[in-house]
């Protein structure tokens, strides 16, 4: 004889909901994830964090209707100062970042962006989850995107590296209408 467990939610003993089941049988798990945005002046050239890491100054959606940042389960207290993020649980994570090289660069060049694991610079290639080069023409906008899947533990950290001196586009401090540039996203896709 089969047993049937009828519940709408599964909660921690402290009352925090971890899983919701709707009336159609669809499960909605609560998974750690975030999107952090960097709102900054036009023509930013350095990441602002430790080594070449990029800092992000909006993480909680408090900037109004055009602020796309959010955070579920991460401690993002250092992403605005060092650019470092530590995962909340041991697992496999999907990490993505995107930027726009500004058309104010008057010479052609190579944009150089990385996702670093336990490193703030590119000096140790073994610590790079992805090392991405994009060559662009002078006086043109160029979209740069990096994405990686990584095994991370709570003792690890990752950061997005801006490893060039070229001018990147920004809409201005606290202007959240960034058109989908200057952000970092991360989500847990599996536990270990």
């Amino acid at each position: 004889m089969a047993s049937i467990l009828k519940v709408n939610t599964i909660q921690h003993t402290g009352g925090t909901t971890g899983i919701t089941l709707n009336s159609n049988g669809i499960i909605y798990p609560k998974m750690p994830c975030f999107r952090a945005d960097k709102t900054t002046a036009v023509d930013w050239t350095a990441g602002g964090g430790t080594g070449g890491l990029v800092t992000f100054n909006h993480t909680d959606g408090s900037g109004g209707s055009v602020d796309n940042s959010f955070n579920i389960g991460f401690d993002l207290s250092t992403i605005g100062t060092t650019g470092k993020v530590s995962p909340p649980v041991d697992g496999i994570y999907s990490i993505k970042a995107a930027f726009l090289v500004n058309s104010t660069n008057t010479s052609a060049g190579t944009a150089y962006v990385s996702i670093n694991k336990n490193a703030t610079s590119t000096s140790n290639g073994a610590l790079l989850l992805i090392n991405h080069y994009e060559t662009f023409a002078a006086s043109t906008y160029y979209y740069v995107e990096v994405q990686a899947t990584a095994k991370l533990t709570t003792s690890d950290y990752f950061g997005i590296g801006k490893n060039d001196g070229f001018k990147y586009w920004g809409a201005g401090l606290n202007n959240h209408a960034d058109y989908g540039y200057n952000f970092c996203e991360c989500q847990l896709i599996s536990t270990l």
Side-chain angles (χ1 to χ4, degrees), residues 95-177:
I95 306 164
K96 177 181 176 180
F99 305 100
L100 185 68
V101 174
N102 206 342
S103 64
T104 55
N105 291 289
T106 56
S107 60
T110 302
Y112 179 14
V113 176
S114 60
I115 300 177
N116 302 7
K117 177 181 176 182
N118 299 329
T120 59
S121 73
T122 59
S123 61
N124 185 341
L127 300 176
L128 299 175
L129 297 172
I130 188 169
N131 201 16
H132 190 75
Y133 297 90
E134 288 283 342
T135 302
F136 60 91
S139 303
T140 60
Y141 289 105
Y142 204 87
Y143 183 71
V144 178
E145 180 179 281
V146 290
Q147 187 165 2
T149 302
K151 177 182 174 183
L152 300 170
T153 68
T154 56
S155 60
D156 292 322
Y157 70 86
F158 72 89
I160 309 302
K162 182 181 185 302
N163 309 298
D164 60 52
F166 292 105
K167 300 172 184 176
Y168 284 22
W169 184 85
L173 190 62
N174 293 314
N175 182 349
H176 294 282

Side-chain angles (χ1 to χ4, degrees), residues 37-94:
D37 292 328
K38 181 180 186 73
T39 62
T40 187
V42 174
D43 287 346
W44 58 283
T45 57
T50 304
L53 297 185
V54 177
T55 58
F56 298 88
N57 54 348
H58 295 282
T59 60
D60 64 359
S62 62
S65 62
V66 293
D67 181 354
N68 295 313
S69 65
F70 62 86
N71 180 22
I72 299 171
F74 277 83
D75 175 1
L76 297 178
S77 60
T78 59
I79 198 171
T81 55
T82 66
K84 297 178 183 180
V85 178
S86 292
V89 297
D90 297 353
I92 307 298
Y93 289 84
S94 175

